Amino acid sequence: MPIQFHKSSQTFHLYNSQISYIFKVLKNNQLGQLYYGKVIHDRDNFDHLFEAKPRPMAACTFEGDLTFSLEHIKQEYPVYGSGDMRHPAIDILQENGSRILDFKYRDHHIIKGKPKLANLPAAYVENDDEAVTLLITLYDEVIKTELILSYTIYEDLAVICRNSFIRNCSQQKLIINQIMSMSLDLPDQNYEMIELTGAWSRERSVKNRKLEHGIQSIYSLRGCSSNNFNPFIALKRENCNEYDGEVLGFSFVYSGNFLAQVEVDTYNVTRVMMGIHPHCFSWELENNESFQTPEVVMVYSDKGLNAMSQTYHQIYQKRLARGLYRDQVRPILVNNWEGTYFDFDEEKIMKIATTAKKLGIELFVLDDGWFGKRNDDKAGLGDWYPNLEKLPNGISGLGKKITDLKMKFGLWFEPEMVNKDSELYRKHPELTLETPNRNSCHGRNQYVLDFSNPEVVDYVYEMMAKVIEEGKISYIKWDMNRCMSEVYSCVHSPSSQGKVMHEYILGVYRLYEKLISRFPEVLFESCASGGARFDPGMMYYAPQCWTSDDTDAIERLKIQYGTSYVYPISSMGAHVSAIPNHQVFRNAPIETRANVAYFGTFGYELDLNKLSQEEQDKIIEQVKFMKEYREVIQFGTFYRLKSPFEGNETVWMVVSNDLNTAIVGYYRPLQEVNQGFRRIKLLGLDPDKEYHVSINETDHYGDELMNLGLITSDSSCGENREIYNGINGDYLSRLYIIKAK
């Protein structure tokens, strides 16, 4: 049993072969944190890890005991004001105006498996032997309220999932102003904080900062997890790199406003908290009402950042993503957006689809512009019925023509938004989020529907379901092209406006769930102006996400590299687009565009009929390559070998589960002159197997490739004497195919 409760010392020990997590019931009946890290032997008593010393100016809990002050004790779920003056995990306003809380241990239960979270995405198990869950009930006697802390530890993964649940058992009304999903106190500050930060078109850049006294945090107040900050942080030791050293990862399974905060006090204790952002959040609880927080997935690694990422890849790919496509390779698609934008009709679409079929592409996706009076981004959103001027046979007619080509048919929706120039808005302007007597900002000429209102969700569902059913839809690209502002719901009372942003996200999840239940064969890809909602919450419903609106291969090196810190390759939508690139105007060779996009779900974002015959022939070969190797790429083990944030080379690789095949992606954006010899040490191979390496056309045992390295020397430096796959000069890339003999 990987969860032990030692009754004599009132100590909980969660452990498997990789990790230990230890905390105990303190003498004031609150919970104190003792250890989180590499697995250690279990024992009946860990009290020697508990530290309490007299400190000047400390507020002490017990009369005459100067050692027991919550300000100087590492806690499991802290509150403010009862001796601890640091930031709390929970804040509740009571009817008498007090915010003082005292949640004491009442009881606990250890159960096999992992309970579902009501109305929220979360990691899961397929059988109860995969994990064990600890549910600890804390109780505040004064306000008659119970707080349940949930911990799930997986048997074979260095993973602990945490959430909190609160129920008001009293007759008074309580207002929750903050409730974090988890809190963790660590005994020192000797960490660097990693975050994935950026903006539209440069999402998830890897940023490091050394922890300092005070607060360091990332957050979103945009109504979505955002392009700016991904809901993930990691704390790594200074000597930790991709392959060695200790790192703690924290990933939030949620798609709305969040806070990931690290506080270092002046005694060098580090407090990590993650949950729904408290700003603009308040939740009233009447008698017997409850609130469930989203889940945080904590991952520990003592083998560097690669191992942390691989653990996230495992659990998110196999125990967060769901449905038909969880374990299936993804169809190779062509999307018409950058090929046509709004300027298309059925004839143009069918010409692209027919060419795509000849080139071996499996799925055609019709993007924005097929509905309502949608000829630009100023009109039509919300009117989910076909534009018969463009598509005289409707979506059903177009869908039949495409499926008659023996291709799958996909469609773009943006169900959460509306244009003022639409039938929906003209009939029901009250369905948007809009603050009375205030100006309402627009984004991309659109406004946000009130998905906190179940009637809005049901209305949109009926329109979408009709199109999906009639159009023989196999794939949906679900877009979201603006963040929230002036958030106010006309169906909520003044005192419940603090619920709106969270209930909005619950509404998004409910619409996904309704559609998935009715159309389980449909592959959903989430999208939010590219990567503004690339988060674990979305992966529960859509196993892949459009990684960024920036389709330039060189920029995608950084974007996909950073994304891989948490998310598996099978989740990253990655396409070959036209040149000059529509975002940065770069002219990368079609070979490099494909060599980057292979490490994702793969497809094309262009008008295939505008390509030369030579380019179309290359696409035929690219499609054949992806079909041969997509099982390895999308479901193998991924390794980062060289970072685009640290130099002019990017190298990554993926290894098949049987260790018989590996693919190394090598990228050098800028031509260099007369450089020395180079090699890169590989990872994950079988040391005793002999492998053949393409391009070099050499044979090596796995231990040689991992300890001496793969030769990547470039003889073309400055003279262009080396050409691989038609590439030399700037934007060079190579794929080394490594196969066991």
Side-chain angles (χ1 to χ4, degrees), residues 594-644:
N595 288 347
V596 175
Y598 288 142
F599 289 87
T601 57
F602 195 67
Y604 294 86
E605 186 109 3
L606 40 71
D607 186 343
L608 297 166
N609 293 308
K610 292 182 179 179
L611 301 180
S612 67
Q613 186 60 52
E614 180 184 6
E615 289 172 316
Q616 290 191 10
D617 290 344
K618 288 179 179 178
I619 286 178
I620 291 173
E621 294 305 312
Q622 290 170 357
V623 169
K624 287 180 180 177
F625 174 88
M626 191 60 185
K627 288 178 179 179
E628 180 177 358
Y629 290 108
R630 60 183 160 183
E631 178 80 32
V632 174
I633 293 171
Q634 293 174 359
F635 296 106
T637 303
F638 184 75
Y639 296 88
R640 295 181 298 270
L641 302 180
K642 209 158 189 179
S643 170

Short mmCIF file of all heavy atoms in Angstrom, two decimals, residues 594-644:
data_model
loop_
_atom_site.label_atom_id
_atom_site.label_comp_id
_atom_site.label_asym_id
_atom_site.label_seq_id
_atom_site.Cartn_x
_atom_site.Cartn_y
_atom_site.Cartn_z
N ALA A 594 8.70 20.85 -42.80
CA ALA A 594 8.17 19.52 -42.46
C ALA A 594 8.96 18.89 -41.32
O ALA A 594 8.37 18.26 -40.43
CB ALA A 594 8.22 18.62 -43.69
N ASN A 595 10.28 19.04 -41.31
CA ASN A 595 11.10 18.40 -40.28
C ASN A 595 10.76 18.91 -38.88
O ASN A 595 10.96 18.20 -37.89
CB ASN A 595 12.58 18.62 -40.57
CG ASN A 595 13.08 17.79 -41.75
OD1 ASN A 595 12.38 16.88 -42.21
ND2 ASN A 595 14.25 18.12 -42.25
N VAL A 596 10.26 20.14 -38.79
CA VAL A 596 9.78 20.65 -37.50
C VAL A 596 8.37 20.15 -37.23
O VAL A 596 8.06 19.67 -36.13
CB VAL A 596 9.84 22.19 -37.47
CG1 VAL A 596 9.23 22.72 -36.17
CG2 VAL A 596 11.28 22.68 -37.62
N ALA A 597 7.49 20.25 -38.23
CA ALA A 597 6.08 19.90 -38.02
C ALA A 597 5.87 18.42 -37.78
O ALA A 597 4.85 18.03 -37.17
CB ALA A 597 5.26 20.36 -39.23
N TYR A 598 6.79 17.56 -38.23
CA TYR A 598 6.65 16.12 -37.94
C TYR A 598 6.49 15.87 -36.45
O TYR A 598 5.80 14.94 -36.04
CB TYR A 598 7.89 15.36 -38.41
CG TYR A 598 8.04 15.19 -39.90
CD1 TYR A 598 9.31 15.27 -40.50
CD2 TYR A 598 6.96 14.93 -40.73
CE1 TYR A 598 9.49 15.12 -41.86
CE2 TYR A 598 7.13 14.77 -42.10
CZ TYR A 598 8.40 14.86 -42.66
OH TYR A 598 8.56 14.70 -44.01
N PHE A 599 7.15 16.70 -35.63
CA PHE A 599 7.12 16.47 -34.18
C PHE A 599 5.88 17.14 -33.59
O PHE A 599 5.94 18.05 -32.78
CB PHE A 599 8.42 16.98 -33.55
CG PHE A 599 9.59 16.11 -33.90
CD1 PHE A 599 10.31 16.33 -35.07
CD2 PHE A 599 9.96 15.04 -33.10
CE1 PHE A 599 11.38 15.52 -35.42
CE2 PHE A 599 11.02 14.22 -33.45
CZ PHE A 599 11.74 14.46 -34.60
N GLY A 600 4.76 16.62 -34.02
CA GLY A 600 3.44 17.08 -33.62
C GLY A 600 2.41 16.20 -34.28
O GLY A 600 2.69 15.06 -34.66
N THR A 601 1.20 16.73 -34.45
CA THR A 601 0.15 15.92 -35.09
C THR A 601 0.21 15.99 -36.60
O THR A 601 -0.38 15.15 -37.27
CB THR A 601 -1.23 16.36 -34.60
OG1 THR A 601 -1.41 17.76 -34.88
CG2 THR A 601 -1.36 16.14 -33.10
N PHE A 602 0.86 16.96 -37.17
CA PHE A 602 1.27 17.10 -38.57
C PHE A 602 0.12 17.35 -39.55
O PHE A 602 -0.88 16.66 -39.57
CB PHE A 602 2.07 15.91 -39.06
CG PHE A 602 2.79 16.19 -40.36
CD1 PHE A 602 3.84 17.10 -40.39
CD2 PHE A 602 2.43 15.57 -41.55
CE1 PHE A 602 4.50 17.38 -41.58
CE2 PHE A 602 3.10 15.84 -42.73
CZ PHE A 602 4.13 16.75 -42.75
N GLY A 603 0.35 18.37 -40.35
CA GLY A 603 -0.57 18.68 -41.42
C GLY A 603 -0.04 19.84 -42.24
O GLY A 603 1.12 20.26 -42.09
N TYR A 604 -0.89 20.37 -43.11
CA TYR A 604 -0.52 21.46 -44.02
C TYR A 604 -1.54 22.59 -43.87
O TYR A 604 -2.74 22.36 -43.70
CB TYR A 604 -0.47 20.96 -45.46
CG TYR A 604 0.63 19.97 -45.68
CD1 TYR A 604 0.44 18.61 -45.42
CD2 TYR A 604 1.89 20.38 -46.10
CE1 TYR A 604 1.47 17.69 -45.59
CE2 TYR A 604 2.92 19.47 -46.28
CZ TYR A 604 2.71 18.14 -46.01
OH TYR A 604 3.74 17.24 -46.17
N GLU A 605 -1.05 23.81 -43.98
CA GLU A 605 -1.87 25.01 -43.82
C GLU A 605 -1.55 25.93 -45.00
O GLU A 605 -0.84 26.92 -44.87
CB GLU A 605 -1.53 25.69 -42.49
CG GLU A 605 -2.40 26.86 -42.14
CD GLU A 605 -3.35 26.58 -41.00
OE1 GLU A 605 -3.31 25.48 -40.42
OE2 GLU A 605 -4.14 27.48 -40.69
N LEU A 606 -2.08 25.57 -46.17
CA LEU A 606 -1.77 26.31 -47.39
C LEU A 606 -2.67 25.83 -48.51
O LEU A 606 -3.43 24.88 -48.35
CB LEU A 606 -0.29 26.13 -47.78
CG LEU A 606 0.37 24.75 -47.62
CD1 LEU A 606 -0.13 23.76 -48.64
CD2 LEU A 606 1.88 24.88 -47.72
N ASP A 607 -2.60 26.53 -49.64
CA ASP A 607 -3.33 26.11 -50.83
C ASP A 607 -2.41 25.21 -51.64
O ASP A 607 -1.45 25.66 -52.27
CB ASP A 607 -3.75 27.34 -51.65
CG ASP A 607 -4.63 26.97 -52.84
OD1 ASP A 607 -4.66 25.78 -53.23
OD2 ASP A 607 -5.28 27.88 -53.39
N LEU A 608 -2.70 23.93 -51.62
CA LEU A 608 -1.84 22.95 -52.28
C LEU A 608 -1.73 23.21 -53.78
O LEU A 608 -0.72 22.85 -54.41
CB LEU A 608 -2.38 21.54 -52.03
CG LEU A 608 -2.40 21.08 -50.57
CD1 LEU A 608 -3.25 19.83 -50.42
CD2 LEU A 608 -0.98 20.83 -50.06
N ASN A 609 -2.75 23.83 -54.37
CA ASN A 609 -2.75 24.05 -55.81
C ASN A 609 -1.86 25.21 -56.24
O ASN A 609 -1.64 25.43 -57.43
CB ASN A 609 -4.19 24.30 -56.29
CG ASN A 609 -5.04 23.05 -56.13
OD1 ASN A 609 -4.67 21.97 -56.58
ND2 ASN A 609 -6.17 23.21 -55.46
N LYS A 610 -1.34 25.96 -55.29
CA LYS A 610 -0.41 27.04 -55.60
C LYS A 610 1.04 26.56 -55.55
O LYS A 610 1.96 27.34 -55.81
CB LYS A 610 -0.61 28.20 -54.63
CG LYS A 610 -1.93 28.92 -54.81
CD LYS A 610 -2.08 30.09 -53.86
CE LYS A 610 -3.41 30.81 -54.08
NZ LYS A 610 -3.57 31.94 -53.12
N LEU A 611 1.25 25.30 -55.23
CA LEU A 611 2.60 24.75 -55.16
C LEU A 611 3.03 24.23 -56.52
O LEU A 611 2.21 23.79 -57.34
CB LEU A 611 2.66 23.62 -54.13
CG LEU A 611 2.26 23.97 -52.69
CD1 LEU A 611 2.37 22.74 -51.80
CD2 LEU A 611 3.11 25.10 -52.14
N SER A 612 4.34 24.23 -56.74
CA SER A 612 4.88 23.65 -57.97
C SER A 612 4.77 22.13 -57.92
O SER A 612 4.54 21.54 -56.86
CB SER A 612 6.34 24.05 -58.13
OG SER A 612 7.13 23.43 -57.11
N GLN A 613 4.96 21.51 -59.06
CA GLN A 613 4.92 20.05 -59.11
C GLN A 613 6.03 19.47 -58.24
O GLN A 613 5.84 18.45 -57.56
CB GLN A 613 5.06 19.55 -60.55
CG GLN A 613 4.90 18.03 -60.69
CD GLN A 613 3.54 17.56 -60.22
OE1 GLN A 613 2.51 18.07 -60.64
NE2 GLN A 613 3.52 16.58 -59.32
N GLU A 614 7.19 20.12 -58.24
CA GLU A 614 8.30 19.65 -57.40
C GLU A 614 7.91 19.70 -55.93
O GLU A 614 8.20 18.76 -55.17
CB GLU A 614 9.54 20.51 -57.65
CG GLU A 614 10.74 20.08 -56.80
CD GLU A 614 11.94 21.00 -56.99
OE1 GLU A 614 11.80 22.03 -57.68
OE2 GLU A 614 13.00 20.70 -56.41
N GLU A 615 7.25 20.78 -55.53
CA GLU A 615 6.83 20.88 -54.12
C GLU A 615 5.77 19.84 -53.79
O GLU A 615 5.77 19.24 -52.71
CB GLU A 615 6.32 22.28 -53.84
CG GLU A 615 7.41 23.34 -53.82
CD GLU A 615 6.84 24.74 -53.72
OE1 GLU A 615 5.85 25.05 -54.42
OE2 GLU A 615 7.39 25.55 -52.93
N GLN A 616 4.84 19.59 -54.71
CA GLN A 616 3.83 18.57 -54.47
C GLN A 616 4.46 17.19 -54.37
O GLN A 616 4.05 16.37 -53.54
CB GLN A 616 2.77 18.61 -55.58
CG GLN A 616 1.88 19.84 -55.52
CD GLN A 616 0.67 19.73 -56.45
OE1 GLN A 616 0.39 18.67 -56.99
NE2 GLN A 616 -0.04 20.84 -56.64
N ASP A 617 5.47 16.93 -55.18
CA ASP A 617 6.18 15.64 -55.09
C ASP A 617 6.85 15.49 -53.72
O ASP A 617 6.87 14.39 -53.15
CB ASP A 617 7.22 15.54 -56.20
CG ASP A 617 6.60 15.37 -57.58
OD1 ASP A 617 5.40 15.03 -57.66
OD2 ASP A 617 7.30 15.62 -58.58
N LYS A 618 7.38 16.59 -53.21
CA LYS A 618 8.00 16.54 -51.88
C LYS A 618 6.95 16.27 -50.81
O LYS A 618 7.22 15.55 -49.84
CB LYS A 618 8.73 17.84 -51.59
CG LYS A 618 10.02 18.01 -52.39
CD LYS A 618 10.71 19.33 -52.10
CE LYS A 618 12.00 19.45 -52.91
NZ LYS A 618 12.69 20.74 -52.69
N ILE A 619 5.76 16.83 -50.97
CA ILE A 619 4.70 16.57 -50.01
C ILE A 619 4.30 15.10 -50.02
O ILE A 619 4.06 14.51 -48.96
CB ILE A 619 3.48 17.48 -50.29
CG1 ILE A 619 3.81 18.91 -49.86
CG2 ILE A 619 2.24 16.97 -49.57
CD1 ILE A 619 2.70 19.90 -50.13
N ILE A 620 4.27 14.50 -51.19
CA ILE A 620 3.97 13.06 -51.27
C ILE A 620 4.97 12.27 -50.43
O ILE A 620 4.59 11.37 -49.66
CB ILE A 620 3.99 12.58 -52.74
CG1 ILE A 620 2.80 13.18 -53.50
CG2 ILE A 620 3.97 11.06 -52.81
CD1 ILE A 620 2.83 12.90 -55.00
N GLU A 621 6.24 12.62 -50.54
CA GLU A 621 7.26 11.92 -49.76
C GLU A 621 7.14 12.24 -48.27
O GLU A 621 7.33 11.36 -47.42
CB GLU A 621 8.66 12.30 -50.27
CG GLU A 621 8.95 11.84 -51.69
CD GLU A 621 8.74 10.34 -51.85
OE1 GLU A 621 9.26 9.58 -50.99
OE2 GLU A 621 8.05 9.94 -52.81
N GLN A 622 6.80 13.47 -47.94
CA GLN A 622 6.63 13.83 -46.53
C GLN A 622 5.47 13.07 -45.90
O GLN A 622 5.57 12.59 -44.77
CB GLN A 622 6.41 15.34 -46.41
CG GLN A 622 7.65 16.16 -46.73
CD GLN A 622 7.35 17.66 -46.83
OE1 GLN A 622 6.21 18.08 -46.72
NE2 GLN A 622 8.39 18.45 -47.08
N VAL A 623 4.38 12.98 -46.62
CA VAL A 623 3.22 12.26 -46.12
C VAL A 623 3.55 10.79 -45.92
O VAL A 623 3.18 10.18 -44.90
CB VAL A 623 2.02 12.46 -47.06
CG1 VAL A 623 0.88 11.50 -46.70
CG2 VAL A 623 1.54 13.90 -47.03
N LYS A 624 4.27 10.20 -46.88
CA LYS A 624 4.69 8.80 -46.73
C LYS A 624 5.57 8.63 -45.50
O LYS A 624 5.42 7.67 -44.73
CB LYS A 624 5.45 8.34 -47.98
CG LYS A 624 4.59 8.10 -49.21
CD LYS A 624 5.44 7.64 -50.39
CE LYS A 624 4.61 7.40 -51.63
NZ LYS A 624 5.46 7.01 -52.81
N PHE A 625 6.50 9.57 -45.30
CA PHE A 625 7.39 9.49 -44.14
C PHE A 625 6.59 9.55 -42.85
O PHE A 625 6.80 8.76 -41.93
CB PHE A 625 8.40 10.64 -44.18
CG PHE A 625 9.26 10.72 -42.95
CD1 PHE A 625 10.45 10.00 -42.87
CD2 PHE A 625 8.88 11.50 -41.86
CE1 PHE A 625 11.24 10.06 -41.73
CE2 PHE A 625 9.67 11.57 -40.72
CZ PHE A 625 10.84 10.85 -40.65
N MET A 626 5.65 10.50 -42.78
CA MET A 626 4.89 10.65 -41.54
C MET A 626 4.03 9.42 -41.27
O MET A 626 3.90 8.98 -40.11
CB MET A 626 4.03 11.91 -41.60
CG MET A 626 3.41 12.30 -40.27
SD MET A 626 4.68 12.62 -39.00
CE MET A 626 3.64 12.87 -37.55
N LYS A 627 3.44 8.87 -42.29
CA LYS A 627 2.63 7.66 -42.09
C LYS A 627 3.48 6.50 -41.58
O LYS A 627 3.02 5.70 -40.77
CB LYS A 627 1.92 7.29 -43.40
CG LYS A 627 0.78 8.23 -43.77
CD LYS A 627 0.13 7.84 -45.09
CE LYS A 627 -1.02 8.77 -45.42
NZ LYS A 627 -1.66 8.44 -46.73
N GLU A 628 4.72 6.43 -42.04
CA GLU A 628 5.60 5.35 -41.60
C GLU A 628 6.05 5.54 -40.16
O GLU A 628 6.16 4.57 -39.41
CB GLU A 628 6.82 5.26 -42.51
CG GLU A 628 7.79 4.14 -42.11
CD GLU A 628 8.97 4.00 -43.06
OE1 GLU A 628 9.01 4.76 -44.06
OE2 GLU A 628 9.84 3.14 -42.81
N TYR A 629 6.27 6.79 -39.75
CA TYR A 629 6.93 7.02 -38.45
C TYR A 629 6.05 7.73 -37.41
O TYR A 629 6.52 8.01 -36.31
CB TYR A 629 8.21 7.83 -38.66
CG TYR A 629 9.30 7.05 -39.35
CD1 TYR A 629 9.63 7.33 -40.68
CD2 TYR A 629 9.97 6.01 -38.71
CE1 TYR A 629 10.63 6.61 -41.33
CE2 TYR A 629 10.96 5.29 -39.35
CZ TYR A 629 11.28 5.59 -40.67
OH TYR A 629 12.28 4.87 -41.31
N ARG A 630 4.79 8.02 -37.74
CA ARG A 630 4.00 8.80 -36.77
C ARG A 630 3.71 8.04 -35.48
O ARG A 630 3.56 8.67 -34.43
CB ARG A 630 2.70 9.30 -37.41
CG ARG A 630 1.75 8.23 -37.91
CD ARG A 630 0.54 8.87 -38.59
NE ARG A 630 -0.15 7.94 -39.48
CZ ARG A 630 -1.19 8.25 -40.22
NH1 ARG A 630 -1.68 9.47 -40.19
NH2 ARG A 630 -1.76 7.36 -41.01
N GLU A 631 3.65 6.73 -35.53
CA GLU A 631 3.47 5.97 -34.28
C GLU A 631 4.65 6.21 -33.35
O GLU A 631 4.48 6.43 -32.14
CB GLU A 631 3.35 4.47 -34.59
CG GLU A 631 3.20 3.59 -33.37
CD GLU A 631 1.79 3.56 -32.82
OE1 GLU A 631 0.83 3.68 -33.61
OE2 GLU A 631 1.65 3.43 -31.59
N VAL A 632 5.86 6.19 -33.90
CA VAL A 632 7.05 6.44 -33.10
C VAL A 632 7.06 7.88 -32.59
O VAL A 632 7.29 8.14 -31.40
CB VAL A 632 8.33 6.17 -33.92
CG1 VAL A 632 9.59 6.57 -33.14
CG2 VAL A 632 8.40 4.71 -34.34
N ILE A 633 6.80 8.83 -33.50
CA ILE A 633 6.90 10.24 -33.13
C ILE A 633 5.85 10.62 -32.10
O ILE A 633 6.15 11.28 -31.09
CB ILE A 633 6.77 11.12 -34.38
CG1 ILE A 633 7.99 10.93 -35.30
CG2 ILE A 633 6.63 12.59 -34.00
CD1 ILE A 633 7.86 11.59 -36.66
N GLN A 634 4.61 10.21 -32.32
CA GLN A 634 3.52 10.68 -31.47
C GLN A 634 3.41 9.91 -30.16
O GLN A 634 2.88 10.46 -29.17
CB GLN A 634 2.20 10.62 -32.24
CG GLN A 634 2.16 11.62 -33.40
CD GLN A 634 0.93 11.49 -34.28
OE1 GLN A 634 0.07 10.64 -34.07
NE2 GLN A 634 0.85 12.34 -35.31
N PHE A 635 3.93 8.68 -30.12
CA PHE A 635 3.75 7.88 -28.91
C PHE A 635 5.05 7.30 -28.37
O PHE A 635 5.04 6.51 -27.42
CB PHE A 635 2.73 6.76 -29.17
CG PHE A 635 1.36 7.29 -29.48
CD1 PHE A 635 0.86 7.24 -30.77
CD2 PHE A 635 0.57 7.85 -28.50
CE1 PHE A 635 -0.39 7.74 -31.08
CE2 PHE A 635 -0.69 8.35 -28.79
CZ PHE A 635 -1.18 8.30 -30.08
N GLY A 636 6.19 7.70 -28.94
CA GLY A 636 7.47 7.27 -28.40
C GLY A 636 7.88 8.15 -27.23
O GLY A 636 7.14 9.00 -26.75
N THR A 637 9.11 7.94 -26.76
CA THR A 637 9.66 8.72 -25.64
C THR A 637 10.48 9.87 -26.22
O THR A 637 11.40 9.65 -27.01
CB THR A 637 10.54 7.85 -24.74
OG1 THR A 637 9.77 6.73 -24.28
CG2 THR A 637 11.03 8.64 -23.53
N PHE A 638 10.14 11.09 -25.79
CA PHE A 638 10.73 12.30 -26.35
C PHE A 638 11.85 12.81 -25.45
O PHE A 638 11.70 12.84 -24.22
CB PHE A 638 9.66 13.36 -26.51
CG PHE A 638 10.13 14.63 -27.17
CD1 PHE A 638 10.36 14.68 -28.54
CD2 PHE A 638 10.36 15.78 -26.43
CE1 PHE A 638 10.79 15.85 -29.16
CE2 PHE A 638 10.79 16.95 -27.03
CZ PHE A 638 11.01 16.98 -28.40
N TYR A 639 12.95 13.22 -26.07
CA TYR A 639 14.10 13.76 -25.34
C TYR A 639 14.50 15.10 -25.97
O TYR A 639 14.60 15.23 -27.18
CB TYR A 639 15.31 12.82 -25.44
CG TYR A 639 15.12 11.47 -24.78
CD1 TYR A 639 14.57 10.41 -25.49
CD2 TYR A 639 15.53 11.25 -23.47
CE1 TYR A 639 14.40 9.16 -24.91
CE2 TYR A 639 15.38 10.01 -22.87
CZ TYR A 639 14.82 8.97 -23.59
OH TYR A 639 14.66 7.75 -23.00
N ARG A 640 14.74 16.07 -25.10
CA ARG A 640 15.34 17.34 -25.54
C ARG A 640 16.85 17.24 -25.37
O ARG A 640 17.33 16.93 -24.27
CB ARG A 640 14.79 18.51 -24.72
CG ARG A 640 13.31 18.77 -24.90
CD ARG A 640 12.84 19.96 -24.07
NE ARG A 640 13.03 19.71 -22.65
CZ ARG A 640 12.14 19.13 -21.85
NH1 ARG A 640 10.97 18.75 -22.34
NH2 ARG A 640 12.40 18.94 -20.58
N LEU A 641 17.59 17.51 -26.45
CA LEU A 641 19.04 17.35 -26.41
C LEU A 641 19.79 18.69 -26.47
O LEU A 641 20.86 18.82 -25.89
CB LEU A 641 19.51 16.45 -27.57
CG LEU A 641 18.89 15.05 -27.62
CD1 LEU A 641 19.45 14.28 -28.81
CD2 LEU A 641 19.14 14.28 -26.33
N LYS A 642 19.24 19.66 -27.18
CA LYS A 642 19.91 20.95 -27.29
C LYS A 642 18.85 22.02 -27.47
O LYS A 642 17.98 21.91 -28.33
CB LYS A 642 20.89 20.95 -28.46
CG LYS A 642 22.07 21.90 -28.26
CD LYS A 642 23.25 21.50 -29.13
CE LYS A 642 24.48 22.32 -28.74
NZ LYS A 642 25.66 21.96 -29.53
N SER A 643 18.98 23.11 -26.68
CA SER A 643 17.90 24.08 -26.58
C SER A 643 18.04 25.22 -27.59
O SER A 643 19.12 25.81 -27.72
CB SER A 643 17.87 24.67 -25.17
OG SER A 643 17.00 25.78 -25.10
N PRO A 644 16.94 25.62 -28.25
CA PRO A 644 16.98 26.79 -29.13
C PRO A 644 17.13 28.10 -28.35
O PRO A 644 17.41 29.14 -28.95
CB PRO A 644 15.62 26.74 -29.83
CG PRO A 644 14.73 26.00 -28.88
CD PRO A 644 15.61 24.99 -28.21
#
